Amino acid sequence: MVDLVWFQLLSAVLFVIGLYGVMARRSAVLIIMSIELMLNAVNINLIAAASHMEGIGKFSDFDGQLIAIFIITVAAAEVGLALAIILRMFRNKSTVNVDEINLMKW
Amino acid sequence: MNDFDQVALLLLIIVPLVGSLTMMFMPGGDSKESWYFAIFIAAISLVLALFIFARYDYHEGGFQYIASYEWLPGPLDIRLSLGIDGISAPMVLLNGIVLFGGVLVSQTVNHRTRDFFVLLFALSAGVYGVFVARDLFFLFFFYELAVLPMYLLIGVWGSSTDFKTFLRTKEYGAMKLLIFLVGGSILVWIGILALYVEASNMGMGTFSMSGLQLLSENGAFDSKFQTLVFPLFMVGFGVLAGLWPFHTWSPDGHVAAPTAVSMLHAGVLMKLGAYGIIRVGMFLLPEGADAWMPVLITLGTVNVLYGAISAMSQTDLKYIIGYSSVSHMGYVLMGIATLDNIGMGGAVLQMFSHGMMTALMFLLVGSVYQKTHTRDINVLNGLASRMPVNTFFFAIAGLASLGLPGLSGFIAEFMVFTGVFRTYLPLAILAVIGAAITAVYILRLLARTFLGEPDEQWANLTDSSPVELSVGAAFVAVIIFVGVWPDPLMRVINVGVQSIPGV
Amino acid sequence: MPVSGARMMEWAWLIPVFSFAAAPAVVIFGRFLPGKGSWISILAIAGGFLMFWLVLGSWMGAEAVGNCFTSENTQMLTCDYERSWFNAGVVGAVGSVSLNWGILIDPLTIAMLGLVTFVALMVQVYSLAYMKGDPRFGWYFAIHSLFAASMLTLVLADNFLLLYVAWELVGICSYLLIGFWHERRSAREAAKKAFIVTRIGDVGLLIGILLIWRDVGSFSMLDAFEAARTGAMSEGVVTASAILLFLGAMGKSAQVPFHVWLPDAMEGPTPVSALIHAATMVVAGVYLVARTFPLFEAYDADPLMVVAIVGLVTALGAATVALVATDLKRILAYSTISHLGLMMLSLGAFGYTAAIFHMMAHGFSKALLFLGAGSVLHSTEFQETGEMGGLRKVMPLTAIVFSIGALSLGGIPILAGFWSKDEILIAVNDHRNVTFIVLTLFTALLSALYMARAMFLVFFGQLKDQNSHVHDAPAAMAFPMVLLGVLALGFGLISFNWPGSYGGIGTFVFFEHSEKFHFEIWLGAVSIVLAIGAFVFAHRVYVEKSISLEGVRKRNSGILKVIENKYYFDEAYQWVIDRVVFVFSRFIAFFDRAIVNDIIVNGPADVTRKFGIALRVHVTGHVYSYTLAMAAGSVGLGLFVWLRVV
């Protein structure tokens, strides 16, 4: 089996790419994609951890997978909501560029 | 009758509260029905107040009409305890009279009438509650209930002052009033908690005032504690009483408020503050009171002089009366600070007397403003020829406030002077000078605004409406009655004052 | 009537009550009655006058039993009746005080009752004609009743609190009557001035009363006098309270420097001036000093010297101004001030009887003079003496009675004023040093001079054409004037010893020693010479015009200017008010608004607001700044936890 560290490294790299995407992207859709990337990076981490565990303490073998499924579900719901908001945004302002959506400031 | 006695005080609070809640379901907008219903509720409350006052047994004294309902049992043990004594009985009567008068006079509130009365009755329920509460928690609760509706009442139904050099919007007046009073009540709340905690250190944590008083008499609160906590009450309640230098909310608040609210505010609300100092400060922390009296009496003297001198240069009719209120509350505070039975009796009588006379003045000025749409004394003149009855009543109110014998103000002020004379002589002299200064601004006001020849712009004025004049007449009758025969009030007050520890 | 003599005195309280009841009755029912209810008021005061006689009779028949006793202080027979009013503090508790209604009847009271009820009655009858047609006719009589009631209460009061109550009520009635024609600005100002100046004096009065109470424990006058006599009150307290009480007296009785309100009070209707500012209200101060005389002379420290000096200065100063004034009512006003000064001087010289006697003689004579002046004003509508002259040809009755009054006050023998002034001179000569008597004689000369001047300028000499239509007083006005004239002529008779037990007024009203009438030849002779000489001189100057004062005027033009401007008192006061009082008031108002409110109160509010504005910058509205913040925050949190754990 491949060592856990490589999976975690992959997860970290994917996470950072996702974080960069969220912070630097202008398009709302791309920001959502980046958020998905972050979430899936975390999923990889969790599943890898689960597959390398041997029932340490309170944790059993498949706890990580459990959490990963939770995350997939929540991510799906959240993306649905986010895309709805983006649709609305687009209908109002004809753009998905987040730089131009700045009315809710002081 | 005993059963009735049990519920009398509860009824006193509930009637306006129920009135307020019921009115929420009435049709909104401008309707006369709200006013009629409000008169009905206020009348019930007045009858109750009169009944309770008349049947208070002054031979026995002490707390009567006692009732106690469990509310939050357990470690905190908060109960709705009610009772009145010789000091609160006249205050209850005062509130009943001023409320009824205020509601009658609010005929002119055309805009969102129902909401106005909802708030007004909530306010008066709070006032009644403070006067009859025997539990600190509920005293505070009712205190807040009396203060918070003021913001909306002034902000929505008030009037702004706009002279060329001086703009005070009603929103400003309302906000300042609210923040000041809530600030004061924060101090009060800290004090109440301090009392509770100290009491529970003795193992008897309670919010009940009679319980705390018992503890205090048995020496549970040591001198240092009392000296630290009393100023919280002195300043916290003092803010509402218009204690200098925390008085600036009062003139602006009075001026911005609509007539009925001004009447209640200056007539009754400010007395809540003085009452709080007596009831909570002096009954529960007598040693603290003793220590802080010199400060209180000095500040009271400053109130008297400062208010009177400021009133001399005001040009807005309501501002003159507002500063006059600050000045007269100074007499109350001085009387309280003497810790002397004559001085305190004078202070309580002054609370009643000033409540009546200032409510009357605001009533009359409100009527003038309603007709002339200005309160500037440089513009108004010769009103006597067009509004003779209004002028006559205003003259009586003004003379009462300068302490003319034969009217209630004299008895009260005289007793305060006597009390202060006995305890702090030099300040008594200043207080008497304050009365002389009052004569100056009152007479100037009368001469400028009411007497003389009117300008053409006032040629078509008519006198105040019959409703306003009847209410005014009733108030004048009370002022003259108390001035000529103060005994019915005094014997109740004397009994109440006697039981204050340290007097 | 099966009421014993002594019992009638108990009902003396009815005298003010009649008028107290009349006042609201006139206001409420007046409009439905003929004469606007004025006769209710007149009936009330007439009833009071009648009761005065009953009380007098009752007192004369009374003995020192029950409520009546020979006062240790005054040695006069005194009767005291009390009833409870209200209690401050529970009855019987330590430090509580009982406030009572009470009346005190002694010869001083009786003298005052007679004076007040009679003059008030005369003036009210006179007003029926004088104020006829006035739109507020009813109100006038109502306030007159209230005034009479208050004044009568003042003289009957047996305790200081009731005295103070009546004192203030008298003040407010005076305000209402002076400012009666309030359409005129000058009237409103004059009324306000009167009230405020007397109020300032009243501060002293109240403090004096409280000071006495503090030591004695009660407000009763008899208790206070006892305490002063037995030494229960220390010398310092007695002297201080006497001076403070005198301050109040100075205000009401227009002594320098509180005299400035009286000349302006002439803005009121003339009958008001006759009643209030000649015979009744202004003598309240003199009455107060007389009533509290035991306090003044209890110890050796001599507060009476203060009284005497103030009185003398007032008498002399006012006399000089009266001599050069040209408005008829002003001349009479300053004359009143001068005579009030004389009364105070007399009291200050232990001339108790003389002061009271002069109070009454002056009251009748001055009221008469004012009513006469009113008669002139009513017809001619002028007040300047320059517009008058020779009026005796068209109003003979007024001229005669006015002259009687003038001669009386000028000190011509036989008339009442001569005897009373003589008594004062005797007192001053006996008890005070030489300077006093010299200056008093000079004042007497001046008073004769200005009275003669007024009389001659108005009624004698050439009749101006503009006045040829002038008519004499109608019956309602003439009748009171005649009655007063008779009194001015004959009142002096009561000062003599008559056969029987009456030994002159000195045996009726006295302090400590009753004095039979006596006459000092040389003093009397000097005063007669001065008075007659003054009248003759004035006649020469103003009627015959054989002596001219032009030269005197030119040489003393500087002093003359000062006197004509009333020694600039009014200007000085106005300066103080404008420059000091109002400036201070504006400063306080400004302080309150700008500093206490704008800085101290609004300040923290502003600071909070600005703080909020500064903080809200972080709400940029841009998504990326939020995500940046979130990312930074979570990284930081993670680091924190990692470092803590490690």
Side-chain angles (χ1 to χ4, degrees), chain C residues 253-257 259 309-319 334 337-338 340-342:
Chain C
S253 290
Q255 302 295 298
V256 168
H259 66 285
I309 295 179
V310 169
L312 183 61
V313 169
T314 308
L316 198 47
Y334 277 100
I337 300 177
S338 178
L340 288 169
L342 272 179

Side-chain angles (χ1 to χ4, degrees), chain B residues 392-427:
Chain B
F392 178 64
F393 290 158
F394 194 90
I396 301 267
L399 292 172
S401 93
L402 65 83
L404 189 76
L407 301 170
S408 55
F410 169 70
I411 313 270
E413 284 181 19
F414 184 77
M415 286 174 66
V416 168
F417 292 151
T418 312
V420 177
F421 210 82
R422 257 209 300 222
T423 42
Y424 300 90
L425 193 95
L427 294 179

Side-chain angles (χ1 to χ4, degrees), chain A residues 2 5 10 13-14 31 39 41-43 49 52 60 82-83 89 94 106:
Chain A
V2 180
V5 175
L10 174 64
V13 168
L14 285 176
I31 292 178
L39 286 169
V42 169
N43 274 347
H52 282 85
S60 60
L83 286 174
M89 206 163 74
S94 313
W106 65 269

Side-chain angles (χ1 to χ4, degrees), chain C residues 309-509:
Chain C
I309 295 179
V310 169
L312 183 61
V313 169
T314 308
L316 198 47
T320 54
V321 179
L323 199 52
V324 302
T326 53
D327 180 318
L328 181 59
K329 279 180 86 170
R330 287 270 183 312
I331 298 177
L332 294 177
Y334 277 100
S335 163
T336 308
I337 300 177
S338 178
H339 280 276
L340 288 169
L342 272 179
M343 290 179 225
M344 287 297 190
L345 172 60
S346 173
L347 281 172
F350 298 91
Y352 189 88
T353 312
I356 307 299
F357 186 26
H358 192 62
M359 178 161 59
M360 300 182 74
H362 170 264
F364 298 131
S365 312
K366 193 45 79 53
L368 175 59
L369 284 172
F370 268 111
L371 292 185
S375 170
V376 171
L377 259 67
H378 194 63
S379 296
T380 64
E381 284 160 38
F382 295 123
Q383 276 184 213
E384 288 288 320
T385 51
E387 304 286 342
M388 307 175 192
L391 287 177
R392 69 188 164 100
K393 302 193 182 108
V394 282
M395 27 172 49
L397 179 66
T398 310
I400 294 176
V401 291
F402 190 94
S403 307
I404 294 178
L407 291 168
S408 167
L409 280 182
I412 300 294
I414 311 293
L415 294 156
F418 165 71
W419 299 109
S420 59
K421 198 175 294 186
D422 202 57
E423 297 276 327
I424 297 181
L425 289 171
I426 294 176
V428 172
N429 189 41
D430 282 347
H431 293 113
R432 294 287 175 197
N433 72 46
V434 175
T435 338
F436 279 87
I437 188 69
V438 168
L439 289 173
T440 314
L441 280 169
F442 184 57
T443 311
L445 171 67
L446 285 180
S447 66
L449 264 177
Y450 66 67
M451 284 276 61
R453 172 174 172 262
M455 184 172 107
F456 291 132
L457 272 179
V458 173
F459 290 100
F460 291 76
Q462 290 291 75
L463 179 65
K464 291 199 163 56
D465 291 327
Q466 67 199 15
N467 292 333
S468 50
H469 68 283
V470 161
H471 60 84
D472 210 339
M477 284 163 60
F479 177 65
M481 289 203 287
V482 167
L483 273 184
L484 283 170
V486 167
L487 270 176
L489 266 174
F491 192 66
L493 298 171
I494 73 160
S495 69
F496 295 136
N497 306 329
W498 291 98
S501 58
Y502 183 68
I505 190 165
T507 58
F508 179 64
V509 174

